[in-house]
Amino acid sequence: MNTWMRLMANDGSIVFGRIENGYLHEYEGLDQPVPTGAVLSLRTLTPLAPCAPGKVIALWNNFHALAAKLEKPVPAHPLFLLKPAESVIGSGEPILRPAHYAGKIAFEGELGIVIGKRCRNVSVEEAEASIFGYTIVNDVTAAGVLNENPHFPQWCRAKGFDTFCCIGPTIISGFDWNSARVVTRLDGVERQNYPIADMVFTPAQQVSLISQDLTLEPGDVIACGTSLGVGSIGDGATVEITIDGIGTLSNTLAATRAGTQAVAAVVGAA
Amino acid sequence: MNTWMRLMANDGSIVFGRIENGYLHEYEGLDQPVPTGAVLSLRTLTPLAPCAPGKVIALWNNFHALAAKLEKPVPAHPLFLLKPAESVIGSGEPILRPAHYAGKIAFEGELGIVIGKRCRNVSVEEAEASIFGYTIVNDVTAAGVLNENPHFPQWCRAKGFDTFCCIGPTIISGFDWNSARVVTRLDGVERQNYPIADMVFTPAQQVSLISQDLTLEPGDVIACGTSLGVGSIGDGATVEITIDGIGTLSNTLAATRAGTQAVAAVVGAA
């Protein structure tokens, strides 16, 4: 197992590498990463989302317990939507309420798969070897947008707003997801605590099946879907999602809105 | 009005620029593009999709005539899904049937908006100034996948397969979409012929409203939705979509499937 992070230096440059004893050993590339020789103290660096996905594939109905509660049959193929690259933020960054939306915003604590190699029509065995590692995802949803139009469920829009895909804090390569749990706390109160082994499609099955549809690129993330305990985030509330061995992903829903002025204020305060 | 293309040179390098009298005048950037001084003969270059979008936003139900035929009210906000970057191909490239799918594959001829400047929370006036130009999109759909699961309409998967977003052949800046028509021919037989002015949301309205949701980046494409006459493409059939002033986007549904061997064969034959 190795711990990987992506961080910003004081000069605005972005570094990626392996973490050891408080230092980042810089690497280039996710497909057979190569050390650059640079070693940087973490104290001088600001954490970012641990990868920069071109796309995030978010699964729906991938846990037996949630399927049973919703009285839906488990699917025969992964059911997914796409979240855009611009929706991604790292741990500690604020979730911004869309400027024209006053409704419910929900959290979903999930395991995230980080792709290491380009995958197209890969077998389950090849898929396993194509996974760089695992991270944590908060698949944020503007619940009121989802079914606002009775003729077209707006999955991409409801889950695709800027800042609605929290990823981090680290990527763990060689992580044993099978014995891990996802624990989500809202302002310190436990709301989700489910075993990842309850998944319908395992990570390697997801990568293999999705790669029959569309090409997965290094850095792309698959959010594996959530289970019981999803709930609403009040303005100013903090969602902490912990997977032992990966860490804790923490994000607060900003009390201000995501209009131009609100975004400027948030950026100015950072 | 200027004509812009993106092409591949014999050495595999990609060039973008303005077309004049059979020559490409190379430019860098879409936001205030700067000429590099290079001038290349088009005869030595292979056309590609005219931009490389990070994401494609595809609208549903954006034409009054189709809404009336489907007996759906016109929406209050653009209804959209996302197509991944990897689904994009240019004019002349083959559409590949997914390896495990034998069902209906549909064409949709559409106007495409190419974004020139980063847009976040922009007004309609700012949106107008952020549009680099216009192109043509064939928003290909695996119709049988869309409602395969009764609990989750698979918009992203049905429209997101590799090669399912044909874009091209050119981008026209300063194009007067308001007086243009989209004409789609299937193996030479006219199947769609509709006025773009019948749109529910104009291009600038689409860019402004979508930018309230998610940040649009230079090169991103909005497929403006289709109107009457959508139909099925048989294996080996060719779809030609013409918008006078932009050109003709032509793509054939390959007779072979998109399995590893089929892809290798198609690449090998190119």
Side-chain angles (χ1 to χ4, degrees):
Chain A
M1 293 215 309
N2 278 307
T3 301
W4 303 81
M5 291 183 80
R6 190 168 147 272
L7 306 104
M8 187 181 287
N10 285 337
D11 66 357
S13 64
I14 292 172
V15 292
F16 174 79
R18 189 169 52 77
I19 306 299
E20 200 176 316
N21 299 324
Y23 286 87
L24 176 129
H25 298 251
E26 192 184 31
Y27 280 70
E28 282 179 352
L30 285 176
D31 185 357
Q32 302 181 314
V34 176
T36 67
V39 179
L40 297 128
S41 169
L42 287 183
R43 286 179 297 178
T44 65
L45 301 170
T46 305
L48 301 172
C51 56
K55 60 187 174 294
V56 175
I57 293 140
L59 266 69
W60 181 78
N61 193 14
N62 192 38
F63 279 84
H64 293 98
L66 185 57
K69 186 191 170 200
L70 297 177
E71 298 183 344
K72 307 279 191 226
V74 298
H77 184 282
L79 299 171
F80 64 83
L81 57 106
L82 296 171
K83 291 168 82 98
E86 293 74 19
S87 66
V88 174
I89 59 172
S91 186
E93 294 187 72
I95 302 164
L96 300 177
R97 175 178 285 279
H100 300 289
Y101 177 68
K104 175 179 166 179
I105 295 178
F107 61 82
E108 297 182 5
E110 307 190 0
L111 178 72
I113 303 166
V114 180
I115 300 297
K117 299 180 200 299
R118 178 177 287 189
C119 297
R120 182 183 290 154
N121 287 317
V122 297
S123 67
V124 174
E125 293 70 27
E126 291 167 328
E128 188 71 53
S130 302
I131 295 173
F132 178 82
Y134 294 90
T135 187
I136 305 170
V137 177
N138 185 355
D139 178 12
V140 182
T141 310
V145 168
L146 185 56
N147 295 309
E148 187 181 78
N149 185 295
H151 306 288
F152 186 88
Q154 297 184 73
W155 286 102
C156 288
R157 186 173 168 232
K159 289 175 172 280
F161 290 101
D162 283 354
T163 77
F164 270 38
C165 189
C166 317
I167 302 182
T170 68
I171 304 168
I172 307 294
S173 51
F175 179 68
D176 177 21
W177 58 267
N178 202 49
S179 60
R181 301 181 73 87
V182 175
V183 178
T184 305
R185 292 184 181 85
L186 181 68
D187 281 341
V189 179
E190 186 176 296
R191 301 291 294 268
Q192 297 192 286
N193 185 337
Y194 68 85
I196 296 175
D198 183 46
M199 273 196 291
V200 176
F201 297 102
T202 67
Q205 287 172 334
Q206 293 175 46
V207 171
S208 172
L209 288 166
I210 293 169
S211 84
Q212 317 297 321
D213 301 337
L214 49 88
T215 300
L216 297 167
E217 299 285 354
D220 283 352
V221 169
I222 302 176
C224 294
T226 198
S227 191
L228 303 175
V230 166
S232 182
I233 320 170
D235 291 343
T238 297
V239 180
E240 291 172 298
I241 306 170
T242 301
I243 299 179
D244 278 344
I246 300 180
T248 296
L249 171 68
S250 175
N251 299 88
T252 299
L253 177 57
T256 51
R257 302 234 175 146
T260 310
Q261 291 180 333
V263 170
V266 167
V267 170
Chain B
M1 294 217 310
N2 278 308
T3 300
W4 303 81
M5 291 183 79
R6 190 168 147 272
L7 306 104
M8 186 180 288
N10 286 336
D11 65 358
S13 64
I14 292 172
V15 291
F16 174 78
R18 189 169 52 78
I19 306 300
E20 198 176 317
N21 299 326
Y23 286 88
L24 176 127
H25 297 252
E26 191 184 31
Y27 280 68
E28 282 179 352
L30 284 177
D31 184 357
Q32 301 181 314
V34 175
T36 68
V39 179
L40 298 129
S41 168
L42 287 181
R43 285 178 297 176
T44 65
L45 301 169
T46 305
L48 301 173
C51 55
K55 58 186 175 295
V56 175
I57 293 141
L59 266 68
W60 182 78
N61 194 14
N62 192 38
F63 280 83
H64 292 99
L66 185 57
K69 186 190 170 201
L70 298 176
E71 298 183 344
K72 308 278 191 226
V74 298
H77 184 283
L79 299 171
F80 63 83
L81 57 107
L82 296 171
K83 291 169 82 98
E86 294 73 20
S87 65
V88 173
I89 60 173
S91 186
E93 294 187 70
I95 302 164
L96 300 177
R97 175 177 284 280
H100 302 288
Y101 178 69
K104 174 180 167 180
I105 294 178
F107 62 82
E108 298 182 5
E110 308 189 1
L111 178 72
I113 303 165
V114 180
I115 300 297
K117 298 179 200 300
R118 177 176 288 189
C119 297
R120 182 183 290 154
N121 286 318
V122 297
S123 67
V124 173
E125 293 71 28
E126 291 167 327
E128 188 71 52
S130 302
I131 295 172
F132 180 81
Y134 294 90
T135 186
I136 304 169
V137 178
N138 185 355
D139 178 12
V140 182
T141 310
V145 168
L146 185 55
N147 295 309
E148 187 181 77
N149 185 295
H151 306 287
F152 185 89
Q154 297 184 74
W155 286 102
C156 287
R157 186 172 169 233
K159 289 175 173 278
F161 291 100
D162 283 354
T163 75
F164 270 37
C165 189
C166 316
I167 302 181
T170 68
I171 304 168
I172 306 294
S173 51
F175 179 69
D176 177 21
W177 57 267
N178 201 51
S179 59
R181 302 182 72 87
V182 175
V183 178
T184 306
R185 292 184 181 85
L186 181 68
D187 282 340
V189 179
E190 185 175 295
R191 301 291 293 270
Q192 296 192 285
N193 186 337
Y194 67 86
I196 296 175
D198 182 46
M199 273 198 289
V200 176
F201 297 101
T202 66
Q205 287 171 335
Q206 293 175 46
V207 171
S208 173
L209 288 167
I210 293 169
S211 84
Q212 317 297 322
D213 300 338
L214 49 88
T215 301
L216 296 167
E217 300 284 354
D220 283 352
V221 169
I222 301 176
C224 295
T226 197
S227 191
L228 303 175
V230 166
S232 182
I233 319 170
D235 290 342
T238 297
V239 180
E240 291 172 298
I241 306 170
T242 300
I243 299 179
D244 278 345
I246 301 181
T248 295
L249 171 70
S250 174
N251 299 87
T252 298
L253 177 58
T256 51
R257 300 227 178 154
T260 310
Q261 293 180 335
V263 170
V266 167
V267 171

